[in-house]
Amino acid sequence: MLGKAEGFREAQVENEPPIDVPWSFFDLAEVNLYFGEAKKALEVAGRGLELSTVDWMPGTFLKSLELLPEDGSLEGLAELKAMVTARQEELAG
C-alpha cells in the first residue's frame, strides 16, 4: 500500500503545477521516511513547506509526525519535525 501511495503522491508533486499542495509533498515525505529514505523525505518536505502559506498547514503535518515513535527507528524524524516546526513558527509570525 505504501508503494501505491508513493506512486500516487509522486505523480502529484511532479505535475506542473503540483496537485494537492502541500499535502501531496507531506504525504510523500512521510512515505519516504517509512522507507528509510531520510534525505529524500527532508527534501520533499522542504518543498512542501516552501509552498505552505499559513501556519496550520505545517502544523497539521507536525501533528501527524508526532504520532510516530521516537525510538530511533525512523531515521530523520527528529530533523524533519524540527524543520516543520521552524516553518510553522515562521508562518505564524
Side-chain angles (χ1 to χ4, degrees):
M1 295 307 287
L2 283 176
K4 280 186 173 183
E6 179 183 37
F8 181 75
R9 286 308 207 179
E10 203 161 68
Q12 289 183 321
V13 302
E14 291 176 0
N15 193 66
E16 256 331 299
I19 299 170
D20 197 20
V21 174
W23 318 116
S24 54
F25 290 91
F26 295 161
D27 288 349
L28 183 56
E30 197 167 340
V31 168
N32 287 316
L33 193 68
Y34 297 151
F35 283 148
E37 298 176 6
K39 183 177 178 180
K40 189 172 179 181
L42 293 167
E43 176 185 308
V44 172
R47 290 173 49 212
L49 291 168
E50 288 173 7
L51 295 169
S52 295
T53 56
V54 290
D55 64 333
W56 60 264
M57 290 176 161
T60 300
F61 184 37
L62 184 59
K63 285 181 183 179
S64 176
L65 295 175
E66 288 173 342
L67 297 173
L68 300 175
E70 295 189 36
D71 59 3
S73 61
L74 292 172
E75 180 185 345
L77 177 60
E79 188 176 354
L80 182 56
K81 286 170 64 173
M83 181 172 44
V84 175
T85 299
R87 179 62 173 154
Q88 181 185 25
E89 290 171 356
E90 178 185 335
L91 288 169

